[in-house]
Amino acid sequence: MKQRVLMKGNEAIAEAAIRAGCRFFFGYPITPQNELPEYMSRRLPEVGGTFVQAESEVSAINMVYGAAGAGARVMTSSSSPGISLKQEGISYMAGAQLPAVIVNIVRGGPGLGSIQPGQGDYFQSVKGGGHGDYRLVVLAPANLQEAVDLVTEAFDIADLYRNPVLILGDGLLGQMMEPVEFRQSTPRELPAKDWATTGLCNHNGQKNVINSLVLHAIDLEAHNIHLQEKYALIKVAEQKAELLHCDDAELVVVAYGSTARIVKTAIAQLRDQGHRVGLLRPISLWPFPEDAFAKVMPVAKDFLCVEMSAGQMVEDVKLVVNGARPVHFYGRMGGIVPTPNEIATQVLQIMGVK
Amino acid sequence: MVKVFDCPKSLTDMPTHYCPGCTHGIIHRLIAEVIDELGIADKAVGVAPVGCAVLAYNYFVCDMQEAAHGRAPAVATGIKRVVPEGVVFTYQGDGDLASIGCAEIVHAAARGELITTVFVNNGIYGMTGGQMAPTTLPGDKTSTSPYGRDTKKQGFPIRVSEMLATLDGPAYIARVSVHNVANIVKAKRAIKKAFEYQIAGKGFTLVEVLSTCPTNWGLTPKESLEKVQRDMMPYFPLGDYKDIEAGEKK
């Protein structure tokens, strides 16, 4: 029998990680994600795992680096200002090709900002964040069932490609409660971690080194080319998106995460009124779901990107649409969550409905 | 014929990049000898710093991770928690450990993390070209204290061993020097004790080694060794600052 449990978002993500085999968690308190490390500190000892409250986000991500380099399934979580502090370690992990899952329960910014939900960390998440040419796989759940499903997926993707994966939530998802079911994902064939620094006795005496330093330009370029080839594979294989009512949609709203839930309510209202409106919801923000856009392009006349930001994902929408259709934008900032009515009004305006 | 000296098995045969007269080579050898004598090469994992020893991962015959600047104790924490049966050590300079990595070393020590840190203190940023370090002596000229370190404007050197010895997490904290043979022998003894304490699960261990930088000090190797004894040792006295088996010093 299916067992559904009512859980808070932060705790559901933590439990999903444990069920995905995560046994190491290194974190630092910051609102609105505190329930996640708190849950880990309680649960991990029960399953023989380790929780360490680090002295800072900088230290936490470097503990993740060490643990990932030693072959563990390892997670850290934080919220926007703390994720900024982790960017150094994330860049090093991308360079050293270390798998780990990082959760960002986004709040309003910039600076200390607020503790209300926001989507202002999109650029930081998908365009780099730290220094150097690298990519994270970025997964953005819109409800808690999807969040727990994506956590398992995130660990698998991280291990498969030896790359950090970011779960991009927000304060709304972290704090809300919904019923979730912890279910088995389709198992992927994952490579052995024969590169891990567990001591020579654990890998036939062959020395393993975890490192992102490549001093000679020709070698560093070769390393970068290898990374780019890996990202190209991910781009083909790991795009995820939901299409809703897009078969006949003249206007396609593009939204991710919590915002997409509100857009769905708006679209239900608009459909009831007979308007041909659909939703394209990117689930993978990187790789950006370009294939899904190709599916809706034949019918769509306009795109409307809705975000809890000043307009960040809209730049990627414009890149994909490439001038073929008008791309409109509507956003709220500072922790303000847009209402379905606001979104519907925008849609009707674009469609020329008085 | 009796062989009285040999290259330790735990050092690779790769020539090091260290400047002539620098004592990194001696300190590397001491660590490798200790690893050999304790028979732990197959379960040792080292963490290299950012600084002159950034390429240390090339020189030890054991698993290694290269950490970001100052973060070696955090990286070592992650490794040790995953591989508790391993013997994990960090090798860090004074800029790495006492400046940018001050939080990481203090908290690794406070947690009593079961790792060993070899802290190489030569009072200068060698790799980047001789800038002032948190351990640069008052009055010493560097490329960022060209008039000599003025304590009114640039503060005072940090005595790391004394500071960490106030914490309850460390099992062994010692400052040693490698400026002559007698002290090299003592330094090795301290490093060995630190590794032994880690293996016995006693707590965090750190050995601070006073070292030289002939290149950036602008001195000959011989003058550099003399400077360690004449200038550094009065400010950074040698000795065991904490040894939970022997009680605390002073």
Side-chain angles (χ1 to χ4, degrees), chain A residues 7 20 33 36 167 171 291 353:
Chain A
M7 288 186 86
Q33 62 85 55
L36 209 163
I167 303 275
D291 298 348
V353 182

Side-chain angles (χ1 to χ4, degrees), chain B residues 61-99:
Chain B
V61 185
C62 63
D63 279 356
M64 296 289 294
Q65 290 199 20
E66 165 55 37
H69 200 23
R71 318 297 177 219
V75 171
T77 297
I79 298 167
K80 184 72 179 191
R81 297 300 182 112
V82 174
V83 193
E85 69 282 6
V87 180
V88 180
F89 68 97
T90 73
Y91 188 102
Q92 302 175 257
D94 43 69
D96 188 88
L97 181 142
S99 189

Side-chain angles (χ1 to χ4, degrees), chain A residues 9-84:
Chain A
N10 285 328
E11 298 188 335
I13 290 170
E15 180 60 32
I18 289 170
R19 288 175 190 240
C22 172
R23 289 295 176 273
F24 296 88
F25 185 95
F26 304 93
Y28 185 83
I30 184 170
T31 308
Q33 62 85 55
N34 291 315
E35 296 83 359
L36 209 163
E38 284 168 356
Y39 188 90
M40 285 299 202
S41 72
R42 200 163 61 236
R43 272 285 280 144
L44 274 171
E46 292 176 359
V47 294
T50 295
F51 168 87
V52 177
Q53 181 166 322
E55 57 271 23
S56 68
E57 287 90 346
V58 176
S59 293
I61 193 71
N62 282 287
M63 290 174 187
V64 170
Y65 178 103
R73 278 209 156 176
V74 53
M75 177 185 257
T76 187
S77 67
S78 192
S79 179
S80 309
I83 294 290
S84 292

